[in-house]
Amino acid sequence: MAEQIIVLGTGGTIAGTAASSADHTGYTAAQIGIAALLQPVPGLHEALQGRELVSEQVAQLDSKDMDFATMLRIAQRCVQHLSKPDVKAIVITHGTDTLEETAYFLHRVIPRELQAKPVVLTCAMRPATSSEADGPRNLRDAVLLAGDAKACGVLAVCSGDVHHALAVQKIHTYALNAFSSGDVALGELGALAHVVGDRVNWGSASLADLDKNSHLALMQYESHAMNLVVIAFSQGMAWPRVEIVLNHAQATGSIVLALLKASTSEDPLRGIVIAGTGNGTVSESLQTALDEAQLKGVEIVITSRCAWGGIHDASALSAVKARIALVLKLLAS
Ligand code: SIN
């Protein structure tokens, strides 16, 4: 039996449609089903290298509306497929806006041994109906990457750049190469590889270099997989509520105080992730409100609103990923 590559569709611009092929921005995301999306992809057959492509629609949404229940469903489908010996890899089509959050969630919850097989997220910045649609190339690249012998773990590919789930961030609102994993020269992981034509060119930073990267190595080992059964069980009990608050010039504690006021026994505020200035600093009045929240049992995690560099000796995660990490921590506690 031929090896299989499974493509899970979840929506996004890659599945979006606009009224005219000249319209690259005024479109509705998540309109075309994954089976139809795969039909016109040039080079897909060659990228499969004799493998069978199996598609499955897991969700159909604009990823601004992504939630933990959907992320969990995606993770469960990944685990079920990856456990089968004839499945080589998973490709997931996803909206760009929260791709990094789903990628990080999957990195955290898919058991390490199953991540010997790659899970490749891909996306598009232009809708499927655009005369300059980038989705078909990204999909083909994702399938090529999924079949590559060196690929493993949760990866993302967009505009030819291959990123790791731990490092990837959306950094541009409309550029086709909207994602970055930081500057290698500044100690960030950087893109792991580039898809050029029908080859995946792995850079000097390979997956093994994750272990050497000072920011990410810690998380690589700390982030043992969450037991999906535990997460699914707690779904019935609601996901712990964790909010993100930004520090800025003249920031007060009023948002934190409002969050505390809105916290109820049915829907308690369990955590706050601070996107602090620079090395995770917060204004004095925001700090006073955070102290009050902490006294009330709310867990506080400090990150930086700067894209890169992390917090010295603390979180290297962006605020959105730190929020997911805190939700998983609270679920496990
Ligand atoms: C989305 O994130 O679902 C819409 C935007 C995009 O995919 O670029």
Side-chain angles (χ1 to χ4, degrees):
M1 190 196 276
E3 273 187 329
Q4 292 182 334
I5 291 184
I6 312 292
V7 185
L8 305 179
T10 75
T13 294
I14 192 167
T17 56
S20 129
S21 63
D23 195 343
H24 309 316
T25 49
Y27 60 87
T28 310
Q31 299 301 300
I32 303 177
I34 188 61
L37 212 57
L38 288 163
Q39 290 305 319
V41 174
L44 190 63
H45 178 75
E46 293 75 10
L48 277 166
Q49 297 172 78
R51 299 188 179 96
E52 185 191 356
L53 195 70
V54 178
S55 68
E56 183 180 319
Q57 196 78 47
V58 178
Q60 185 67 301
L61 46 77
D62 185 319
S63 79
K64 68 181 171 55
D65 298 317
M66 183 53 70
D67 55 22
F68 282 116
T70 310
M71 286 189 207
L72 176 61
R73 206 157 62 239
I74 298 168
Q76 286 169 324
R77 293 310 291 146
C78 286
V79 168
Q80 277 153 10
H81 284 299
L82 291 172
S83 305
K84 296 179 202 154
D86 48 336
V87 169
K88 163 81 179 106
I90 310 265
V91 168
I92 301 171
T93 57
H94 198 290
T96 60
D97 286 344
T98 59
L99 180 146
E100 67 214 62
E101 289 168 67
T102 300
Y104 179 70
F105 182 85
L106 296 177
H107 166 78
R108 289 292 308 270
V109 304
I110 296 175
R112 275 287 167 273
E113 61 278 12
L114 291 182
Q115 292 195 37
K117 300 177 182 181
V119 174
V120 181
L121 288 96
T122 196
C123 54
M125 293 298 286
R126 293 183 179 156
T129 48
S130 163
S131 55
E132 293 168 32
D134 52 331
R137 185 230 161 150
N138 288 344
L139 250 175
R140 188 212 71 115
D141 287 356
V143 168
L144 193 71
L145 178 63
D148 190 272
K150 279 177 94 173
C152 62
V154 181
L155 306 171
V157 63
C158 181
S159 198
D161 294 340
V162 178
H163 304 278
H164 192 273
L166 275 171
V168 66
Q169 293 189 43
K170 184 174 179 181
I171 52 143
H172 205 282
T173 54
Y174 63 84
L176 295 187
N177 59 342
F179 290 88
S180 169
S181 294
D183 187 341
V184 179
L186 293 175
E188 308 300 339
L189 190 63
L192 295 174
H194 300 279
V195 182
V196 183
D198 60 357
R199 291 170 51 104
V200 180
N201 290 340
W202 293 91
S204 52
S206 69
L207 288 175
D209 289 319
L210 264 182
D211 297 345
K212 297 182 209 140
N213 184 290
S214 55
H215 294 326
L216 299 175
L218 190 63
M219 289 182 296
Q220 179 73 347
Y221 290 113
E222 274 182 354
S223 63
H224 56 276
M226 276 288 298
N227 186 330
L228 280 175
V229 178
V230 172
I231 302 177
F233 171 71
S234 20
Q235 210 192 4
M237 312 186 316
W239 296 84
R241 190 148 73 84
V242 175
E243 304 286 352
I244 298 176
V245 175
L246 186 82
N247 190 56
H248 51 84
Q250 216 174 326
T252 68
S254 55
I255 291 179
V256 170
L257 297 179
L259 286 171
L260 288 176
K261 203 168 163 200
S263 179
T264 60
S265 52
E266 296 79 47
D267 185 21
L269 177 67
R270 301 284 309 282
I272 296 176
V273 172
I274 292 292
T277 27
N279 193 35
T281 53
V282 293
S283 72
E284 284 185 17
S285 67
L286 178 51
Q287 186 60 57
T288 305
L290 289 176
D291 291 344
E292 186 179 329
Q294 211 159 14
L295 278 175
K296 291 188 167 146
V298 177
E299 186 142 350
I300 312 293
V301 170
I302 306 287
T303 66
S304 176
R305 69 181 208 182
C306 298
W308 304 112
I311 305 285
H312 186 61
D313 284 340
S315 179
L317 290 175
S318 63
V320 292
K321 288 181 185 171
R323 175 175 171 269
I324 290 170
L326 182 52
V327 166
L328 293 178
K329 181 182 168 194
L330 290 167
L331 272 177
S333 62

